[in-house]
Amino acid sequence: MHEEFLRRIRAGADAEALAGLFELDQAGIYRFMLRRLGHRQDAEHATQELLRRVLTSLHSLRDPKGYRGWLYRIALRVAQAQVQSQIGERRRVEAVARTAPAAGSSMTQTDSPERREQVKTALETLEEDLRTVVLLRYEQGLSYEEIAEATQRPL
């Protein structure tokens, strides 16, 4: 589906295709940003910034098949910039602890609160690079190839 929208966009100014392309990933990107940043307002701002960056740099995408990896690489940059601008690690950690599991998460609403808290705590103990990989794989459903593309790391 991404490739069809990208083909239409490259063929000419197709606002409907651009809107469709953004719609495909907006919810997943927002959930990713929410988990990375911990605050809804920060996630909303970062998602908007990501879409702005995609709009201005879409012409630089060489291979439409690599779109999702390219998209999440930009998402990581936006999220990292947002984290650097946040005040205090404590504020972010407290917000993550209050955040409900995202749709598509391996944690379900039927999991006990204790289990959800254990998973959140475990995620917080991971180094940032490892936490990113876990979130991209298990919450966003990216393939290992897409994760390698997004993080610019070897497979």
Side-chain angles (χ1 to χ4, degrees):
M1 195 68 167
H2 290 98
E3 291 179 39
E4 175 60 24
F5 284 133
L6 289 167
R7 184 192 59 74
R8 287 174 48 194
I9 292 166
R10 287 182 176 195
D14 188 339
E16 186 178 301
L18 187 60
L21 183 65
F22 285 166
E23 232 176 84
L24 286 176
D25 295 298
Q26 186 172 3
I29 289 291
Y30 173 77
R31 283 191 309 271
F32 176 73
M33 293 297 191
L34 183 59
R35 294 288 289 175
R36 293 284 290 155
L37 302 173
H39 292 278
R40 293 186 194 283
Q41 288 178 335
D42 292 340
E44 289 168 2
H45 175 75
T47 301
Q48 288 175 353
E49 174 62 17
L50 169 76
L51 296 179
R52 186 193 66 75
R53 287 188 189 187
V54 166
L55 182 62
T56 60
S57 61
L58 195 55
H59 66 278
S60 71
L61 177 64
R62 292 183 210 132
D63 181 9
K65 291 180 182 177
Y67 174 76
R68 284 189 74 207
W70 176 82
L71 177 70
Y72 277 91
R73 183 171 56 241
I74 295 171
L76 283 169
R77 288 180 186 151
V78 170
Q80 288 167 347
Q82 186 78 15
V83 166
Q84 290 173 356
S85 69
Q86 288 180 338
I87 299 173
E89 181 70 13
R90 182 174 177 195
R91 176 179 158 214
R92 187 179 70 79
V93 171
E94 288 172 353
V96 169
R98 289 190 306 267
T99 303
S105 168
S106 60
M107 292 188 295
T108 65
Q109 295 301 327
T110 58
D111 284 338
S112 70
E114 295 83 16
R115 172 82 171 132
R116 287 195 303 262
E117 191 60 36
Q118 286 174 339
V119 172
K120 287 177 190 175
T121 301
L123 276 172
E124 286 302 315
T125 64
L126 292 175
E127 293 178 21
E128 186 158 336
D129 289 347
L130 294 175
R131 183 171 53 241
T132 297
V133 170
V134 170
L135 291 173
L136 289 173
R137 176 69 179 157
Y138 294 101
E139 286 199 352
Q140 300 305 312
L142 268 66
S143 69
Y144 294 118
E145 291 80 10
E146 291 170 328
I147 294 169
E149 173 69 23
T151 59
Q152 293 188 312
R153 302 271 186 201
L155 186 59

